[in-house]
Amino acid sequence: MKSSITHGVKILSTGSAVPHFSLNNQTISEIVQTSDEWISTRTGIKERRLLTGSHQSVIDLAILASRKALDKISMDPSQIDLIILATSSPNDLFGSASQIQFKIGAVNAVAFDLTAACSGFVLGIVTASQFIRSGTYCNILVIGADVLSKWVDWSDRSTCILFGDAAGAAILQSCSDIENSILNFQLNTDGYYSSHLSIPYQDNDKPHAFLNLHQGSFKYLYMNGREVYKFAVSQVPLSILKCLNSLNMSVNDINWLLLHQANERILNAVAEKLSISRDKIIANLSKYGNTSAASIPLALDEALQESKIVDNDIVVIAGFGAGLTWGTIIVRWKEFTLG
Ligand code: UT7
């Protein structure tokens, strides 16, 4: 159903899911040479949840988070028009969104994966918003889910201490332009630095004897932590300021700063650069570590459950990570019921 009217976008509901198994800093220091003191002071992380056991994948967490978001508003899954799964750890390179569509019974939904690492949820919300504003779709489920524990090298102390597994979901719905919640967005990519953070594919040495065709496999996650840190602290504030400026808003209008949960020092440094008080930062990474595409919807869902974010609050959401890709969304929070 298409129309020429510009539609607004409201966030109807959120949900999240984390695995049961928790790995704290003390236990991780029995696996690699590290300490609770180093991890806590350098990152703010105390523990992370890991998807252990066989036959468990990102799809299981994504389904749990999606069902919670649907149940909160008693929405029938058949009302969903589109599912966007932001993930960098699918269990099928052709995509995992269609399995979620089937398993939650979203029989009328188109579904696809979106790969943009830790910025994936921000890109997913912006993509969904375009479909809604154009009048193409009415109800969209956006999921950010990752299980990077399957992709980190558990002997590399510089990365294995950082990541956790989780999923977060949000249901977006079309509304009148006056009720619009997604006020603005600002997105960026700089592929020049892509090698700083990557799960690279590598050819095997020996080609197929007859075809001279190389086949290979994916390697473990690699990160140049220092460079990614510098990039985040320098670029994220600029993106937020650009986004605010084009709305004629200032940092004083911000009620909540919700950044990708990579490192507590990054959250504090970005807030400091913008002269935003630390008590406006939403942070839950001490409990979950860096959950990649899930970190923003997981933190958003928790902040809503704790009634931190209330009606009309301005929430600045910013994602950053591999690509390198980074971006901001400015949301005026609205408490809605199913229309
Ligand atoms: O989600 C995508 C976006 N990702 C990010 O934003 C991550 C950005 N980067 C970071 O958060 C930080 O760079 C890290 C937390 C990854 C690392 O912190 P850092 O303060 O930048 O440490 P470093 O990499 O500069 O390493 C400092 C020292 C090194 O030793 P030397 O060379 O100074 O002797 C490392 O070998 O700390 C050592 N080190 C560790 N020591 C104990 C690295 N990892 C560990 C560890 N335990 N787990």
Side-chain angles (χ1 to χ4, degrees):
M1 169 197 70
K2 265 195 173 201
S3 90
S4 54
I5 306 160
T6 306
H7 300 257
V9 182
K10 57 187 181 184
I11 302 175
L12 268 188
S13 180
T14 58
S16 60
V18 291
H20 295 297
F21 179 73
S22 170
L23 181 66
N24 65 26
N25 292 348
Q26 186 55 44
T27 310
I28 227 173
S29 66
E30 290 164 23
I31 303 170
V32 287
Q33 202 183 357
T34 188
S35 63
D36 175 42
E37 204 265 331
W38 192 96
I39 302 172
S40 301
T41 53
R42 297 283 178 128
T43 71
I45 299 166
K46 286 278 182 194
E47 56 186 317
R48 66 289 289 144
R49 301 294 188 95
L50 305 181
L51 193 66
T52 54
S54 58
H55 308 301
Q56 293 285 305
S57 79
V58 73
I59 293 174
D60 299 289
L61 290 176
I63 287 172
L64 271 176
S66 303
R67 285 201 177 125
K68 284 186 190 171
L70 285 161
D71 288 351
K72 263 185 206 165
I73 50 170
S74 303
M75 184 187 245
D76 191 299
S78 65
Q79 289 180 263
I80 303 280
D81 302 306
L82 172 66
I83 298 171
I84 300 175
L85 170 66
T87 188
S88 306
S89 42
N91 60 338
D92 185 334
L93 279 185
F94 287 146
S96 297
S98 61
Q99 292 184 57
I100 296 167
Q101 181 253 17
F102 170 69
K103 286 181 178 163
I104 66 170
V107 288
N108 296 311
V110 173
F112 61 83
D113 288 27
L114 182 157
T115 309
C118 304
S119 307
F121 186 75
V122 166
L123 270 291
I125 292 285
V126 171
T127 305
S129 299
Q130 305 313 301
F131 280 114
I132 289 176
R133 285 188 84 77
S134 66
T136 310
Y137 294 126
C138 183
N139 296 319
I140 303 183
L141 170 64
V142 181
I143 308 160
D146 267 309
V147 289
L148 288 183
S149 67
K150 292 183 186 284
W151 293 97
V152 295
D153 178 352
W154 283 97
S155 65
D156 174 9
R157 68 176 184 175
S158 70
T159 52
C160 75
I161 54 129
L162 297 171
F163 296 97
D165 304 331
I171 298 171
L172 274 54
Q173 189 174 67
S174 175
C175 60
S176 74
D177 203 24
I178 306 160
E179 294 176 292
N180 181 45
S181 271
I182 312 281
L183 303 185
N184 198 15
F185 65 87
Q186 200 282 327
L187 304 174
N188 315 272
T189 298
D190 190 347
Y192 182 77
Y193 298 105
S194 60
S195 60
H196 285 331
L197 182 44
S198 162
I199 302 178
Y201 169 85
Q202 206 171 62
D203 280 339
N204 293 331
D205 290 339
K206 274 194 180 164
H208 185 279
F210 185 70
L211 296 170
N212 190 27
L213 183 126
H214 287 262
Q215 290 186 308
S217 54
F218 286 92
K219 302 289 152 196
Y220 286 128
L221 181 151
Y222 166 80
M223 180 166 72
N224 181 337
R226 277 184 208 188
E227 288 305 319
V228 177
Y229 187 101
K230 281 192 270 175
F231 139 75
V233 170
S234 64
Q235 295 306 313
V236 172
L238 296 178
S239 169
I240 292 173
L241 284 178
K242 274 187 207 165
C243 210
L244 285 169
N245 286 346
S246 55
L247 286 170
N248 289 322
M249 290 173 89
S250 83
V251 286
N252 298 327
D253 296 313
I254 299 174
N255 297 101
W256 295 107
L257 185 62
L258 173 44
L259 305 181
H260 166 50
Q261 309 282 299
N263 185 325
E264 197 173 58
R265 282 156 59 214
I266 295 179
L267 308 191
N268 292 338
V270 170
E272 201 168 302
K273 277 203 163 183
L274 294 170
S275 304
I276 295 173
S277 121
R278 279 194 187 181
D279 55 20
K280 291 185 174 179
I281 299 174
I282 292 174
N284 66 357
L285 57 73
S286 65
K287 292 187 288 179
Y288 305 116
N290 178 345
T291 59
S292 190
S295 88
I296 290 173
L298 175 63
L300 175 64
D301 190 45
E302 281 201 358
L304 289 166
Q305 279 176 46
E306 291 162 10
S307 303
K308 274 187 180 165
I309 300 171
V310 295
D311 212 28
N312 274 319
D313 274 358
I314 296 294
V315 187
V316 168
I317 296 175
F320 54 89
L324 299 175
T325 300
W326 67 106
T328 303
I329 304 173
I330 298 179
V331 174
R332 184 186 298 281
W333 190 259
K334 289 276 173 199
E335 279 161 21
F336 285 105
T337 47
L338 186 57

